[in-house]
Amino acid sequence: MALGKNYEGQNCSLARALELVGERWTLLIVRDAFYGVRRYGDFLVHLDIPRAVLADRLASLVEVGILQRRRYQDSPPRDEYLLTDRGVELWSVIYPLWSWSERHYGAGEPFRTFRHATCGTELDPASRCPTCGVDVSPRDVEAHTGPGVPAQPRQDPVSVALRERPHRLLQPLL
Amino acid sequence: MALGKNYEGQNCSLARALELVGERWTLLIVRDAFYGVRRYGDFLVHLDIPRAVLADRLASLVEVGILQRRRYQDSPPRDEYLLTDRGVELWSVIYPLWSWSERHYGAGEPFRTFRHATCGTELDPASRCPTCGVDVSPRDVEAHTGPGVPAQPRQDPVSVALRERPHRLLQPLL
DNA sequence: CCCAGTCAGTTCGTTCAACGAACCAACCGC
DNA sequence: GCGGTTGGTTCGTTGAACGAACTGACTGGG
C-alpha cells in the first residue's frame, strides 16, 4: 500500500526525488531558503504554513541532506536552516519550474525577476545569462522585484524585505 | 484557508506551478507521458495508482493544458492522452529533478539512462550532449535501460517495453 | 441471445496527511 | 512576577488519497 509520499513500487530516481521533495509545502520552503530565509519564525510567517507541518518538513529536509541546521544562539538554543550544497543544486529544478509557470500562467508582468548579479541581465529560461553567455550559478543570481504588482501584496517581513531592494540568492535576508 | 493544493497567499509563479503539478502522482504521470504512455489503462498498471486519482489527475492535466485528449476509437469512445507543447517543456523540470536524485540518492548504477538519440551520448545534468555540445530537446532523447538492476523489476507492460529496447521519448510506447 | 472479457471510468467507506487552535518550555527584559 | 518572543508539540477536525466494488458500453464467441 502506497502511503502519503511513498512511491516504493517505482524503480525510478524521479519517484525517489518526489518522496523527498514532493510533499505539500516542501519546495516552497526550499524556495524561501534560496531567498535567504533561515529561521523557523520567518518561514512560518512568509509561508502561512501550519507550525507542525513546517517543523516536520524542516526536520525531513535536514535528514535527507537538503538543509543543514546551524546554532545561532545558545541561550535558549536556537537553530537556523541553510541549504547544503546538495540543496543548492535544486536550483536546477526550482528555477525552470518557476520559469515554465511564469511563461505559461503568469498574469501580465512578473512580480519577480532573477538576474545575473554580475551584469544585471535577466536570466533566460535555461538559467543562462543571454549577455554573458554563461550558465549562472544561484550564488550569482539576484532576485529583483518585477514590473508586475500583486493584487494583494504580502506584508510579512520576508515579502517586505524582498520588495525593498534586490537581493542576492542564498545570502541572509533578515 | 489553504486547502490541498492551494497556495493562494503566495504571489509567486513557483507556487502556481505547484498548484498545477504538485499533487501526489502528477509528475509521475507526466514522466510516463514522456515515455510515450498514452492510455488510461497503461498509466494505471505502470503507476499502481488508484483509479479515481488517475482520472482526476488526467482531467486536471488536460484542463491546464499540459496534456491533450485525442480520440483513438469511436466505438466505444476511447481517448488517449498526449503531452502538449507546454507539457513537453516540463522536461526542463523533470530531467534535472531525476538527475539530481540519481546523483545524490541513486543506489549504485542507474536503472535508466537518457541519451542524445542522434549520437548516443548520455546527457549531462543540464540535459546537454557532452559530445555534440548542444542542448538536447526531449524529442531527441532516447531512454535506455541502465547498468543497474532493481531488486524487484516491474512486470507491467510499460516496464517490460521500456526494458526491451531503447525508446525515444514522446513516441508511443505500446 | 447470453455470457465473459475489456476498457475507462465512478462511487463509497476507510485511512492518513494537512489543518487550525491551543498549549508548552525556556528564555529575556521590565 | 508578568508579558513577550521563539521554536516548537499536541489534539481534534477536515480533506485528500486509498482500496474495493460497481457501472456502462462495447466486442467476440458459443
Side-chain angles (χ1 to χ4, degrees):
Chain A
M1 180 164 81
L3 290 183
K5 65 180 176 181
N6 191 293
Y7 295 110
E8 69 185 8
Q10 300 286 319
N11 302 312
C12 170
S13 284
L14 182 68
R16 176 74 175 125
L18 291 170
E19 284 174 344
L20 304 177
V21 302
E23 282 181 298
R24 180 150 160 80
W25 295 111
T26 303
L27 281 179
L28 289 177
I29 292 168
V30 174
R31 175 204 65 182
D32 278 7
F34 274 105
Y35 288 152
V37 179
R38 296 183 168 180
R39 297 183 180 184
Y40 178 92
D42 296 330
F43 286 111
L44 191 74
V45 297
H46 188 232
L47 291 164
D48 263 331
I49 180 176
R51 286 174 170 274
V53 173
L54 180 58
D56 177 72
R57 298 293 184 278
L58 289 172
S60 293
L61 286 165
V62 169
E63 190 182 333
V64 300
I66 292 171
L67 289 182
Q68 63 193 325
R69 256 191 172 94
R70 193 170 71 179
R71 184 58 43 98
Y72 75 85
Q73 164 183 311
D74 279 318
S75 191
R78 289 276 143 82
D79 295 336
E80 57 189 5
Y81 298 88
L82 285 81
L83 285 162
T84 60
D85 287 344
R86 179 184 300 185
V88 169
E89 286 185 37
L90 275 173
W91 182 248
S92 69
V93 172
I94 283 180
Y95 178 73
L97 187 54
W98 173 88
S99 174
W100 171 85
S101 179
E102 192 57 61
R103 261 176 290 134
H104 295 293
Y105 303 99
E109 304 283 353
F111 305 144
R112 173 150 295 123
T113 61
F114 296 100
R115 294 169 184 271
H116 188 191
T118 299
C119 73
T121 308
E122 216 172 312
L123 300 191
D124 73 11
S127 67
R128 284 202 209 99
C129 173
T131 299
C132 306
V134 295
D135 284 315
V136 183
S137 140
R139 296 187 200 277
D140 202 14
V141 172
E142 227 174 26
H144 286 244
T145 302
V149 182
Q152 287 166 310
R154 295 189 59 91
Q155 301 305 336
D156 63 273
V158 173
S159 300
V160 171
L162 282 172
R163 260 199 314 267
E164 271 179 353
R165 70 186 65 81
H167 180 69
R168 194 179 281 239
L169 293 187
L170 298 166
Q171 294 303 305
L173 183 63
L174 296 172
Chain B
M1 180 165 83
L3 291 182
K5 65 179 177 181
N6 192 293
Y7 296 109
E8 69 185 9
Q10 299 286 320
N11 302 311
C12 170
S13 284
L14 181 68
R16 176 74 173 124
L18 292 171
E19 284 174 346
L20 305 176
V21 301
E23 282 181 298
R24 181 152 160 77
W25 296 111
T26 303
L27 281 179
L28 289 178
I29 291 169
V30 174
R31 174 204 64 181
D32 278 8
F34 274 106
Y35 287 154
V37 179
R38 295 182 167 182
R39 296 186 181 184
Y40 177 92
D42 296 331
F43 286 111
L44 190 74
V45 297
H46 187 233
L47 292 164
D48 263 333
I49 178 176
R51 286 174 170 276
V53 173
L54 179 58
D56 177 73
R57 297 294 183 279
L58 289 172
S60 293
L61 286 166
V62 169
E63 190 182 330
V64 301
I66 292 171
L67 291 182
Q68 60 191 325
R69 257 191 172 97
R70 193 170 71 179
R71 185 60 45 96
Y72 73 85
Q73 162 183 313
D74 280 318
S75 192
R78 289 276 142 80
D79 295 335
E80 57 189 5
Y81 298 87
L82 285 81
L83 285 162
T84 61
D85 287 344
R86 179 184 298 183
V88 169
E89 286 185 37
L90 275 173
W91 181 246
S92 69
V93 172
I94 283 181
Y95 177 74
L97 187 54
W98 173 89
S99 174
W100 171 82
S101 179
E102 193 59 59
R103 263 180 284 132
H104 294 294
Y105 303 97
E109 303 283 355
F111 304 145
R112 175 151 292 125
T113 60
F114 296 101
R115 295 171 183 270
H116 188 194
T118 301
C119 75
T121 309
E122 215 171 310
L123 301 190
D124 74 11
S127 64
R128 286 204 208 99
C129 173
T131 299
C132 306
V134 297
D135 284 315
V136 183
S137 139
R139 296 188 200 274
D140 201 14
V141 172
E142 227 173 27
H144 287 244
T145 302
V149 180
Q152 287 167 309
R154 295 188 60 92
Q155 301 304 336
D156 64 274
V158 172
S159 301
V160 172
L162 283 170
R163 256 197 318 266
E164 272 179 351
R165 68 186 66 82
H167 180 69
R168 193 180 279 239
L169 294 186
L170 298 167
Q171 295 302 306
L173 183 62
L174 297 171

